[in-house]
Amino acid sequence: MGCGLSTPDNDGGGGEGARRKQGSVGDVVVFVPGLRAPMGVDLSQALAGRLDKSAVERLSALRARVVDMAMQESAVALKPRRKTAARHGSSTANLLQALEDYLPVLLGLVKEGSELRHSVQFVWTNQEDKAEETAMADAWYEVLSVLHLMAMVCLLQANSLLLPRAYGDGYGPRVSEESRRATVDVFLKASGYLDCAIRQVLPQIPSELRRQLPVDLAEGNLKALSMQALGQGVDMQLGLAIDSPKATLAVKRRLACEMVKYWHQVQESIPELPVSEGWGKKHLLFVKWKYVEAKSAAYYFHGLILDEGNSEKSHGMAIAALEASEEFLKESKRASAAFHATPPTSR
């Protein structure tokens, strides 16, 4: 449970068709779907005469910075992550700061009654397939894409924090308690960005344009990713509770049951994801792995609580719960192996 890394016995192959052939993305604790990155656009030409020159220059500079850093991050995200964890954590923090700087300025284009909303054709591409570009002349599409990227960057940060590190103290590589605690806030931040996208931004986009959004930005997938972030945040809390002598079995069971609830909601929201190959198939396998793992934990702690009872009936129910936990654990290990073996392969 928690932060443990599982290593499959075999590696998978590459992608097919128009998708780029993938190798390995290295160690994965937090699954992040293929990133979407903005493409360069000429804001000065699109906004000439409609916005103050200094404002256009500032907006252009902030977006250009995001474009450059997002492209770099997209390339790094495809490389094995253990050896570059520290540098990768720094780059994600810089990209997140660039996005936070850009977003409030961008919102000036979507103020109520603004004539600037449809002035720029914003273009974004998918990390998994550079040929898959989506262009829309709507600043709300840009806001939606920025919030989605901010959430994905948070998930990348969480993954970096949860990779084992050597501390030069004579012990083997491990994930510190400080890192695990820090990820709880990072997961909450990721979920908050996605919840804002769902509640505040999607309703601003006309239904005909919403049907043209890439699958990454479909409402169901945004909800699934938001619930996934919450589920993994609770996973970290459960890991910390397991390590704490003060945490009761009731607290651990409650956290495990919360995990089950969140991962069930992920499964309910995610059907819109294409699953024939690549990142979509890998994402569904990750959800299955974590959902079954959460069930194993919930039955385990429920069984321990039942076993504290004095009656023969409670003892029998405890055995049944612990046996169910063991079966779910075996299933989660199979799902984990399938996830890691699916291209792009991972550990």
Side-chain angles (χ1 to χ4, degrees), residues 165-220:
R165 288 174 173 78
Y167 290 89
D169 53 5
Y171 296 95
R174 64 189 184 277
V175 180
S176 69
E177 180 177 328
E178 181 183 358
S179 291
R180 287 188 289 162
R181 289 189 183 280
T183 58
V184 175
D185 290 334
V186 174
F187 282 127
L188 287 174
K189 184 183 288 188
S191 180
Y193 288 141
L194 293 164
D195 187 63
C196 177
I198 295 164
R199 296 176 182 272
Q200 305 297 328
V201 181
L202 272 180
Q204 305 294 335
I205 300 176
S207 56
E208 61 272 17
L209 278 183
R210 288 178 65 172
R211 287 191 289 269
Q212 299 174 31
L213 289 171
V215 69
D216 315 63
L217 302 182
E219 183 173 0

Side-chain angles (χ1 to χ4, degrees), residues 50-51 107-119 139:
R50 301 184 179 188
L51 193 63
L107 288 172
L109 299 182
V110 295
K111 288 180 179 178
E112 187 175 352
S114 174
E115 299 177 355
L116 303 175
R117 172 178 169 177
H118 303 289
S119 300

Side-chain angles (χ1 to χ4, degrees), residues 78-109:
L78 288 171
K79 297 177 181 178
R81 291 182 187 142
R82 173 169 286 184
K83 294 181 180 179
T84 59
R87 181 173 61 82
H88 191 233
S90 175
S91 66
T92 54
N94 292 336
L95 174 54
L96 188 59
Q97 185 60 58
L99 289 163
E100 290 175 349
D101 292 342
Y102 173 53
L103 183 59
V105 180
L106 170 65
L107 288 172
L109 299 182

Side-chain angles (χ1 to χ4, degrees), residues 68-344:
D68 181 56
M69 297 180 70
M71 287 300 183
Q72 292 181 37
E73 189 61 42
S74 181
V76 171
L78 288 171
K79 297 177 181 178
R81 291 182 187 142
R82 173 169 286 184
K83 294 181 180 179
T84 59
R87 181 173 61 82
H88 191 233
S90 175
S91 66
T92 54
N94 292 336
L95 174 54
L96 188 59
Q97 185 60 58
L99 289 163
E100 290 175 349
D101 292 342
Y102 173 53
L103 183 59
V105 180
L106 170 65
L107 288 172
L109 299 182
V110 295
K111 288 180 179 178
E112 187 175 352
S114 174
E115 299 177 355
L116 303 175
R117 172 178 169 177
H118 303 289
S119 300
V120 182
Q121 183 92 342
F122 291 103
V123 184
W124 286 67
T125 188
N126 189 286
Q127 169 193 22
E128 184 185 356
D129 183 3
K130 293 298 183 184
E132 185 181 307
E133 292 185 357
T134 306
M136 290 188 180
D138 192 332
W140 279 116
Y141 165 65
E142 178 83 345
V143 173
L144 180 64
S145 298
V146 166
L147 286 170
H148 177 267
L149 181 55
M150 292 170 79
M152 297 305 98
V153 170
C154 285
L155 296 183
L156 286 174
Q157 281 186 329
N159 191 71
S160 180
L161 284 167
L162 294 174
L163 297 183
R165 288 174 173 78
Y167 290 89
D169 53 5
Y171 296 95
R174 64 189 184 277
V175 180
S176 69
E177 180 177 328
E178 181 183 358
S179 291
R180 287 188 289 162
R181 289 189 183 280
T183 58
V184 175
D185 290 334
V186 174
F187 282 127
L188 287 174
K189 184 183 288 188
S191 180
Y193 288 141
L194 293 164
D195 187 63
C196 177
I198 295 164
R199 296 176 182 272
Q200 305 297 328
V201 181
L202 272 180
Q204 305 294 335
I205 300 176
S207 56
E208 61 272 17
L209 278 183
R210 288 178 65 172
R211 287 191 289 269
Q212 299 174 31
L213 289 171
V215 69
D216 315 63
L217 302 182
E219 183 173 0
N221 292 327
L222 295 175
K223 286 181 179 178
L225 286 169
S226 179
M227 292 299 106
Q228 175 181 320
L230 291 176
Q232 292 209 261
V234 175
D235 193 350
M236 293 302 103
Q237 291 178 300
L238 176 58
L240 292 166
I242 290 172
D243 291 344
S244 172
K246 295 182 180 180
T248 64
L249 286 176
V251 168
K252 296 169 188 175
R253 181 178 64 177
R254 176 180 61 78
L255 290 170
C257 289
E258 281 187 32
M259 284 171 55
V260 173
K261 179 188 72 173
Y262 285 132
W263 286 110
H264 176 71
Q265 290 178 321
V266 172
Q267 285 204 326
E268 291 290 301
S269 300
I270 211 170
E272 297 176 56
L273 200 66
V275 297
S276 59
E277 55 159 314
W279 297 88
K281 182 178 181 180
K282 196 170 182 72
H283 195 179
L284 281 189
L285 287 170
F286 182 79
V287 172
K288 179 181 179 181
W289 165 26
K290 288 302 185 180
Y291 186 29
V292 177
E293 185 181 65
K295 287 183 178 180
S296 176
Y299 273 101
Y300 175 73
F301 291 113
H302 184 56
L304 292 183
I305 289 175
L306 289 171
D307 198 41
E308 292 180 335
N310 296 321
S311 69
E312 185 176 337
K313 180 180 179 182
S314 65
H315 183 63
M317 292 172 65
I319 292 176
L322 293 173
E323 287 177 346
S325 172
E326 182 65 24
E327 289 304 309
F328 280 125
L329 181 61
K330 292 176 182 177
E331 186 180 349
S332 78
K333 289 181 178 179
R334 292 192 295 269
S336 170
F339 163 76
H340 287 299
T342 296

